[in-house]
């Protein structure tokens, strides 16, 4: 079974009788650090790495349920799946070595989805340390409701002024750097 065949098949904490490391992935730098830390923990403990990207319709479930559009839901799902794939490409260049990986794209609030997937006391839940404003709710929910150990992975530090410098760079600047 490929990683995408069992995306939403269930929200159990044990996959094929093996313990899991559940990682919340959003594409942020903090979640990429969490994905890397989760892979290390899964490799070290012989566990399955379950990378989860939870998504909701942009206007929220309430409005979507009043005016459902399956075509848009498929589009948002595909976008979320692409974000999860890009996260693996950015962190590992594809798939991590020496780890059994299961990728899941689940529709629902991130905190609730992560806690449901890591409901077993032997599971490990890994999240990024620097939440953006909209992710702070997820962090509060996870820390209040997790039934297992929670590992918070710090995002890499950004040098001061780097964002401003990168915004001002042009394609020619990158071309000159590669010569």
């Amino acid at each position: 079974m490929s990683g995408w065949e069992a995306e939403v098949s269930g929200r159990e904490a044990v996959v094929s009788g093996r313990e899991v490391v559940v990682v919340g992935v959003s594409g942020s730098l903090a979640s990429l650090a969490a994905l890397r830390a989760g892979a290390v923990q899964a490799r070290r403990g012989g566990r399955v790495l379950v990378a989860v990207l939870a998504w909701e319709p942009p206007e929220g479930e309430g409005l979507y349920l009043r005016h459902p559009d399956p075509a848009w839901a498929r589009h948002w799902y595909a976008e979320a799946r692409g974000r999860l794939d890009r996260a693996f490409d950015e962190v590992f260049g594809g798939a991590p070595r020496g780890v059994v990986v299961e990728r899941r794209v689940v529709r629902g609030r991130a905190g609730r989805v992560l806690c449901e997937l890591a409901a077993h006391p032997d599971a490990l839940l890994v999240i990024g340390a620097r939440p953006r404003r909209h992710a702070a709710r997820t962090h509060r929910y996870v820390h209040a409701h997790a039934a297992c150990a929670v590992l918070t992975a710090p995002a890499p530090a950004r040098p001061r002024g780097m964002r401003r410098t990168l915004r001002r760079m042009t394609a020619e600047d990158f071309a000159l750097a590669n010569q």
Side-chain angles (χ1 to χ4, degrees):
M1 174 184 326
S2 75
W4 291 115
E5 290 176 21
E7 289 166 1
V8 196
S9 64
R11 296 182 181 182
E12 65 279 353
V14 178
V15 180
S16 303
R18 297 181 71 181
E19 293 178 0
V20 296
V21 175
V22 177
V23 180
V25 180
S26 67
S28 69
L29 284 177
S31 76
L32 297 179
L35 184 58
R36 182 180 307 278
V40 168
Q41 292 298 320
R43 188 177 302 113
R44 189 176 293 158
R47 298 176 175 199
V48 175
L49 176 66
V50 180
V52 181
L53 194 142
W55 69 277
E56 293 182 285
E59 69 273 1
E61 286 292 341
L63 185 59
Y64 179 82
L65 291 175
R66 282 186 237 143
H67 305 287
D69 186 347
W72 274 111
R74 283 190 300 276
H75 169 75
W76 295 319
Y77 173 84
E79 288 291 320
R81 180 175 157 178
R83 255 189 317 171
L84 186 57
D85 286 339
R86 283 190 299 279
F88 272 85
D89 289 341
E90 288 178 24
V91 173
F92 306 111
R97 296 176 190 251
V99 178
V100 177
V101 177
E102 184 176 323
R103 300 178 191 193
R104 292 191 185 190
V105 176
V106 181
R107 183 172 174 173
R109 290 199 182 251
R112 182 169 296 166
V113 168
L114 292 171
C115 287
E116 286 176 3
L117 284 168
H120 195 275
D122 292 334
L124 175 64
L125 179 55
V126 184
I127 56 176
R130 286 191 187 164
R132 293 186 220 152
R133 282 186 192 178
H134 67 275
R137 176 177 28 176
T138 301
H139 277 252
R140 284 192 303 271
Y141 188 93
V142 164
H143 286 292
H145 296 92
C148 64
V150 177
L151 174 64
T152 305
R158 254 185 312 213
R160 293 197 112 166
M162 181 63 76
R163 183 181 287 178
R164 183 180 313 142
T165 302
L166 288 173
R167 267 192 295 228
R168 292 181 180 163
M169 293 189 81
T170 63
E172 293 82 26
D173 295 329
F174 287 104
L176 290 173
N178 290 329
Q179 292 180 352

